[in-house]
Amino acid sequence: MVNFIKLIFRNTFGNVIFGITIMALTAAYIAIGSGVPSIRAYFEMSDLQFFNAWPLKTLMFLLIVNLVTVTWQRIPFTPPRYGVWCVHAGIIVLIIG
């Protein structure tokens, strides 16, 4: 069971393509919510409710897990890579905020 969980983390959450896909889905969700008010009206939500709904929170959570996993597994913590670690940490702080 433990090996299965490690395999999922490594193959899914540790995959850069998965992170790019999550970012593209997040961008699509935000674009649709911002640019097509009839979608928000269909779900009877204001803009604040639409952007505080569970789909966006789920996408953000998945992006945080992906960033942490990819950073930890693929990017060595050496002086030339401190900038990448700082950028990823900054993105995580922005998402949490």
Side-chain angles (χ1 to χ4, degrees), residues 29 45-58:
Y29 183 86
M45 295 179 162
S46 68
D47 55 347
L48 292 176
Q49 291 171 328
F50 188 81
F51 293 116
N52 198 27
W54 68 268
L56 188 59
K57 288 182 180 181
T58 303

Side-chain angles (χ1 to χ4, degrees), residues 52-94:
N52 198 27
W54 68 268
L56 188 59
K57 288 182 180 181
T58 303
L59 288 169
M60 292 292 100
F61 175 75
L62 290 173
L63 183 60
I64 288 173
V65 171
N66 179 259
L67 274 172
V68 168
T69 306
V70 167
T71 304
W72 191 261
Q73 288 181 350
R74 294 180 178 242
I75 304 169
F77 192 65
T78 58
R81 302 286 190 257
Y82 288 163
V84 177
W85 278 71
C86 287
V87 167
H88 285 189
I91 292 170
I92 292 169
V93 168
L94 286 172

